[in-house]
Amino acid sequence: MKRKIFDQLKIIFQKYFYNTKIIITEKTSAKNIKQWDSLAQIGLIILIEKKFKIRFSINEVEKLKNIGDMADLIYEKNKKK
Amino acid sequence: MSNLNKINLTELLLNKNKLLKLVRKSKSKFLKKIKINIYGGYTSNEIADWIKIILIKSGVKSDIFQSNWGGGFQNFQHHKFLSNDQNFFILINSWRDLFVSNRVDKFAISENKIINIYKKFLQISDKFNSKIIIMAFDFPEYEIKLKNKSLSNSIFNLNSKIYNLCNKYKNCIFFNPQQYIYKNKVEWGNTRDWFVFGKMISSEASIILAKKLSEFIYKFNQPTKKLIVLDLDNTLWGGIIGDDGLENLKIGDDTPEGRVFTEIQSYFKMLKERGLLLAIVSKNDEKIGLKGLKNKKNVLKINDFASMRINWKDKSENIKSIQEELNIGLESIVFIDDNPAERAEVKKLLPEVTIPEIGSSPEYYIQNINDLEIFNLNNTLSKEDTKKTNLYRIEKKRKIVENKFNDKEKFLLSLKIKIKLTSINDKNIDRVYQLTNKTNQFNLTTKRLELSEIKNYKRSKNKNIIVTEAKDSFGDYGIISVMYLKFINKNCIIDNWLMSCRVFSKTIEDAIFYSLVKKVLKEKIKYIYIDYIPTKNNNILKEIIDRLGFIKNKYNLKNSWVYKTIKPKKNIKHYCSISDET
């Protein structure tokens, strides 16, 4: 289940940054991707919310540092649904 | 631009960077360039990005400046204006700008101060001919009531005051974004995004808003719409008069569909009152169509239409013929018809005409037309325009009488044309400006002048601007001619001369020139010079220059013609009585 979420996230990131060659692991964060600036962070979070039909709280948004964090949180939130 | 609606907004958000890359790659030498300045108190990057993406599809490359975050509308007080016709401003307002940050108990600025900032901004921007779109203040997610003031009330007041201000400027649009976003069933913004990202407007709303703003920007550059050509059956009333009969047409208060069409007719009536012309093109027997137009239940009466073609010819042919009759550019025509086949026919043969897709449900016709924003700009109105329908109707009567006369001279005499010449003054300068910049056919040089340039000309010592009004037994034409004169060493030079096409072939130009000659003779001026710069539209002047008695300047100056006042080549003949008050 977590794997599936991670793969979906990968596609979102590749599409959003318009680059299929981006290497994405669980540890990938804004530090590793040049285009991942604060505006991209907003865009990505809003896209993820739409795609997975969830909503992050302020605290949750603050905690999302790398893609692994994102996948974990999406998994947790989906379980509660 | 319209296909944006059909695409899933989330898909668009996902592909934004890809689209932006296409914008950056687009070859700019084929594109029109404009500069847009967005001023607002919060993140406007998304709106800016989408405007770039949407405008590129209409062949416009935009360079967008965004104000710093947090400054609010106060930012634009310090803007340095550039004199540039392609300079656009988008001013975004939010209720949060009214408060000290995150303190809903403390107003940061008074209403009066805000209005003054706007007043100043509009005054300066008008001088520089900038185009401005002002967004109304939005309403908060919850009601804020201070001891002596409610926020909603403040916002209502502010918006209505700013709206009144905007109405005074022809290059300014005031628009309520929140209402528009809600109409599209999209979230306006949410508090989490505000506190985390400083973002007032949701990502989806930003796309829809950018689309609307791009439409406004695009419309600013389009020719003003002047004529609406309307179909009859199922456009102005429900049903087909030829099949259903007059009694069964749906119009008026007694049926739901009738009420819809009453509202549709009143919408066009309103546009007519604002200065647009209306015309009918309908496939019907003329007698039957007219019967429908005379229906007492109609809001629109026969007199509301400047022209009509009720016959079985192709609609494109009829529109072309109305266009020639009223002398209006095809780009200034809007064609409204419920039948997709008719719209397609006109679209194919007259692609310049604007043809709204009005849909198949009459109750949405007006909204679908209105969404195009073609009639919502302040610059569609002018005092002279509001009288136009009547002028065209009078002209038609004149034509009918003219056809009864076999003898042109007798017809002209019967008109009892009177002209009055005056110097330019504060009352007629607006019309002088309009004629100078709009006349294409009777225009010696097609030199366009700014209002300030006209004022400078007027002030110069050896220059004068002669303005002519005309009327005849059918009615008043108003101001129809402007002549720019310069006097150097006992020579008179006509810098420019223009005349409205409404008064062609009535010897009015001959009468104007006759009185000029009479006047300069008194001052012992021997020569009158003109420069005639031919264009594809002003051929008519070639014949007139010759008829008046000008001869080519023998010093072989290109385009220069001369008239000898003492020994003219021929005598000027005209049929007007002249009162010269210059």
Side-chain angles (χ1 to χ4, degrees):
Chain A
M1 187 62 199
K2 251 191 201 175
R3 188 74 235 162
K4 213 176 140 195
I5 291 172
F6 183 75
D7 288 342
Q8 276 176 287
L9 276 177
K10 212 164 144 180
I11 295 170
I12 293 177
F13 272 74
Q14 283 170 345
K15 270 207 173 170
Y16 187 77
F17 290 120
Y18 188 46
N19 186 351
T20 45
K21 285 175 202 143
I22 289 186
I23 300 157
I24 290 166
T25 68
E26 302 218 347
K27 291 265 153 29
T28 305
S29 71
K31 281 178 210 148
N32 313 104
I33 298 178
K34 205 175 66 189
Q35 303 101 301
W36 192 343
D37 57 12
S38 59
L39 285 172
Q41 173 85 357
I42 303 175
L44 283 165
I45 286 175
I46 284 160
L47 264 174
I48 291 165
E49 288 183 328
K50 302 243 172 284
K51 284 274 177 187
F52 292 95
K53 297 194 169 54
I54 48 171
R55 192 119 192 170
F56 301 124
S57 71
I58 288 187
N59 279 331
E60 287 164 343
V61 173
E62 291 286 284
K63 279 184 211 143
L64 298 174
K65 296 293 179 227
N66 60 39
I67 299 183
D69 292 346
M70 289 178 175
D72 288 343
L73 188 58
I74 295 165
Y75 178 74
E76 290 300 317
K77 287 192 95 80
N78 262 336
K79 225 167 53 178
K80 278 181 205 157
K81 264 212 269 187
Chain B
M1 275 181 219
S2 57
N3 56 4
L4 256 183
N5 288 334
K6 292 168 198 152
I7 305 172
N8 181 321
L9 291 175
T10 314
E11 272 314 293
L12 275 176
L13 291 175
L14 192 58
N15 288 302
K16 193 179 83 178
N17 288 322
K18 182 177 161 185
L19 293 165
L20 276 176
K21 197 167 175 186
L22 291 176
V23 172
R24 281 194 296 272
K25 274 188 175 170
S26 55
K27 291 242 164 49
S28 55
K29 70 174 170 186
F30 301 112
L31 300 165
K32 194 182 167 114
K33 287 179 198 67
I34 60 170
K35 168 121 179 102
I36 301 171
N37 307 280
I38 303 181
Y39 283 85
Y42 39 86
T43 318
S44 53
N45 297 61
E46 284 182 302
I47 294 175
D49 287 346
W50 288 112
I51 288 178
K52 278 184 201 162
I53 293 167
I54 294 164
L55 280 179
I56 210 97
K57 285 190 186 167
S58 324
V60 177
K61 184 139 190 162
S62 48
D63 171 17
I64 303 185
F65 165 85
Q66 292 174 68
S67 67
N68 293 331
W69 190 88
F73 48 85
Q74 306 192 41
N75 262 333
F76 64 69
Q77 298 182 82
H78 311 297
H79 182 82
K80 282 204 185 79
F81 281 91
L82 298 166
S83 181
N84 181 352
D85 283 349
Q86 295 312 330
N87 215 352
F88 294 85
F89 287 87
I90 297 170
L91 309 181
I92 310 177
N93 292 303
S94 166
W95 67 270
R96 288 197 183 268
D97 300 332
L98 301 174
F99 289 100
V100 175
S101 64
N102 302 323
R103 291 289 301 271
V104 293
D105 60 333
K106 264 190 182 163
F107 274 101
I109 184 167
S110 75
E111 276 170 35
N112 283 343
K113 262 191 189 150
I114 296 171
I115 295 300
N116 280 333
I117 293 172
Y118 268 103
K119 253 187 204 157
K120 232 184 197 165
F121 183 83
L122 284 168
Q123 271 163 11
I124 305 170
S125 60
D126 191 54
K127 272 188 206 145
F128 288 94
N129 209 11
S130 300
K131 321 264 192 299
I132 297 158
I133 303 161
I134 300 180
M135 292 202 219
F137 279 85
D138 62 345
F139 286 88
E141 294 79 1
Y142 54 93
E143 175 60 317
I144 297 169
K145 267 194 171 155
L146 278 70
K147 217 158 76 192
N148 47 6
K149 206 171 181 181
S150 123
L151 180 60
S152 298
N153 193 23
S154 281
I155 291 175
F156 275 123
N157 275 337
L158 268 173
N159 283 343
S160 106
K161 278 180 188 161
I162 297 173
Y163 175 81
N164 286 338
L165 264 180
C166 288
N167 256 347
K168 290 181 195 145
Y169 297 91
K170 69 174 173 22
N171 283 334
C172 183
I173 293 173
F174 182 74
F175 146 77
N176 186 346
Q178 207 174 19
Q179 186 192 6
Y180 184 69
I181 296 302
Y182 287 149
K183 211 184 119 192
N184 279 277
K185 299 180 182 67
V186 162
E187 182 186 43
W188 166 249
N190 78 67
T191 26
R192 186 208 65 188
D193 287 359
W194 165 254
F195 288 114
V196 183
F197 307 126
K199 193 166 123 91
M200 275 300 295
I201 303 173
S202 78
S203 298
E204 285 117 319
S206 299
I207 300 180
I208 294 170
L209 209 52
K211 181 176 162 251
K212 193 72 177 169
L213 292 167
S214 304
E215 264 162 20
F216 281 133
I217 289 168
Y218 188 70
K219 275 339 144 355
F220 264 129
N221 281 328
Q222 293 292 94
T224 311
K225 302 295 174 224
K226 293 177 186 160
L227 170 69
I228 308 171
V229 175
L230 296 155
D231 170 48
L232 291 178
D233 292 332
N234 285 321
T235 299
L236 288 189
W237 55 66
I240 296 168
I241 184 165
D243 298 343
D244 304 331
L246 184 68
E247 316 73 46
N248 297 316
L249 292 183
K250 299 280 192 294
I251 178 80
D253 294 338
D254 30 355
T255 59
E257 218 188 333
R259 293 195 278 274
V260 170
F261 282 102
T262 297
E263 189 161 316
I264 290 171
Q265 287 201 9
S266 65
Y267 175 78
F268 291 117
K269 177 95 175 178
M270 165 205 70
L271 290 175
K272 188 233 148 190
E273 301 292 321
R274 263 175 47 187
L276 281 117
L277 295 171
L278 303 179
I280 296 286
V281 166
S282 161
K283 279 190 179 163
N284 258 316
D285 286 332
E286 191 169 20
K287 256 190 191 161
I288 296 174
L290 284 174
K291 214 165 117 193
L293 279 167
K294 282 175 192 156
N295 191 344
K296 284 208 178 85
K297 291 178 182 171
N298 286 341
V299 180
L300 288 168
K301 306 293 175 200
I302 285 189
N303 282 351
D304 290 321
F305 299 99
S307 186
M308 282 180 218
R309 299 286 183 279
I310 305 174
N311 54 41
W312 296 95
K313 286 183 196 164
D314 282 346
K315 297 225 166 172
S316 59
E317 194 187 330
N318 279 328
I319 293 174
K320 194 91 203 3
S321 125
I322 290 181
Q323 180 244 332
E324 278 157 16
E325 179 196 330
L326 302 182
N327 216 335
I328 279 171
L330 282 170
E331 320 74 45
S332 298
I333 299 177
V334 181
F335 173 56
I336 312 269
D337 197 309
D338 66 298
N339 184 341
E342 299 294 358
R343 295 203 295 265
E345 193 264 336
V346 175
K347 196 172 188 171
K348 198 173 160 207
L349 286 147
L350 305 173
E352 303 92 338
V353 172
T354 302
I355 308 172
E357 295 294 321
I358 58 174
S360 48
S361 311
E363 62 271 36
Y364 299 118
Y365 284 178
I366 301 178
Q367 287 176 46
N368 290 335
I369 295 166
N370 203 63
D371 277 352
L372 290 175
E373 301 297 348
I374 38 185
F375 306 125
N376 290 352
L377 304 180
N378 292 344
N379 61 4
T380 47
L381 332 161
S382 104
K383 252 185 240 162
E384 227 75 22
D385 287 337
T386 51
K387 297 180 201 148
K388 256 188 180 165
T389 303
N390 210 19
L391 288 172
Y392 282 114
R393 293 187 62 81
I394 293 173
E395 183 57 27
K396 207 165 213 176
K397 282 185 199 152
R398 236 178 238 123
K399 281 258 160 69
I400 293 167
V401 174
E402 183 176 1
N403 290 337
K404 282 184 193 153
F405 278 90
N406 293 324
D407 187 337
K408 175 100 186 176
E409 271 181 46
K410 275 184 189 157
F411 165 67
L412 287 173
L413 280 170
S414 79
L415 284 178
K416 297 197 174 69
I417 306 164
K418 288 190 181 117
I419 65 167
K420 189 173 103 183
L421 289 81
T422 52
S423 292
I424 189 168
N425 56 45
D426 290 339
K427 274 184 209 154
N428 58 29
I429 191 159
D430 282 339
R431 175 69 177 152
V432 168
Y433 174 69
Q434 194 187 29
L435 272 175
T436 305
N437 290 294
K438 271 170 84 177
T439 314
N440 291 318
Q441 298 180 66
F442 193 118
N443 191 334
L444 276 177
T445 64
T446 327
K447 210 189 279 163
R448 308 302 189 193
L449 293 175
E450 291 292 332
L451 202 56
S452 57
E453 292 175 288
I454 297 174
K455 281 178 186 161
N456 276 340
Y457 198 102
K458 173 188 154 198
R459 260 183 247 125
S460 304
K461 228 177 165 186
N462 55 349
K463 291 178 180 170
N464 196 4
I465 303 174
I466 309 286
V467 180
T468 308
E469 288 166 58
K471 60 180 162 190
D472 65 15
S473 53
F474 284 90
D476 201 335
Y477 290 103
I479 293 169
I480 42 85
S481 162
V482 178
M483 203 182 226
Y484 292 82
L485 296 175
K486 189 160 70 190
F487 300 93
I488 302 174
N489 305 332
K490 290 279 158 197
N491 290 317
C492 171
I493 296 150
I494 303 178
D495 260 344
N496 202 7
W497 184 12
L498 27 106
M499 198 171 85
S500 160
C501 55
R502 292 206 306 264
V503 291
F504 282 1
S505 43
K506 295 191 172 61
T507 69
I508 289 180
E509 64 273 28
D510 306 70
I512 294 170
F513 190 68
Y514 174 83
S515 48
L516 175 72
V517 173
K518 214 169 125 189
K519 189 150 190 139
V520 299
L521 269 174
K522 275 187 208 152
E523 291 166 38
K524 303 220 164 57
I525 287 171
K526 281 186 188 164
Y527 300 105
I528 300 173
Y529 291 94
I530 57 167
D531 276 345
Y532 162 53
I533 303 167
T535 68
K536 69 172 197 266
N537 292 320
N538 69 3
N539 277 328
I540 182 174
L541 281 162
K542 218 177 269 171
E543 182 261 327
I544 292 170
I545 288 168
D546 184 61
R547 191 178 75 219
L548 293 177
F550 277 89
I551 49 174
K552 200 101 203 170
N553 194 343
K554 64 179 165 205
Y555 297 104
N556 220 7
L557 288 160
K558 209 183 159 201
N559 298 331
S560 177
W561 298 71
V562 63
Y563 180 89
K564 293 178 183 163
T565 54
I566 298 172
K567 255 167 63 188
K569 200 174 85 179
K570 43 186 138 175
N571 290 324
I572 302 164
K573 205 170 171 192
H574 69 83
Y575 299 91
C576 313
S577 67
I578 305 166
S579 104
D580 191 342
E581 298 173 11
T582 53

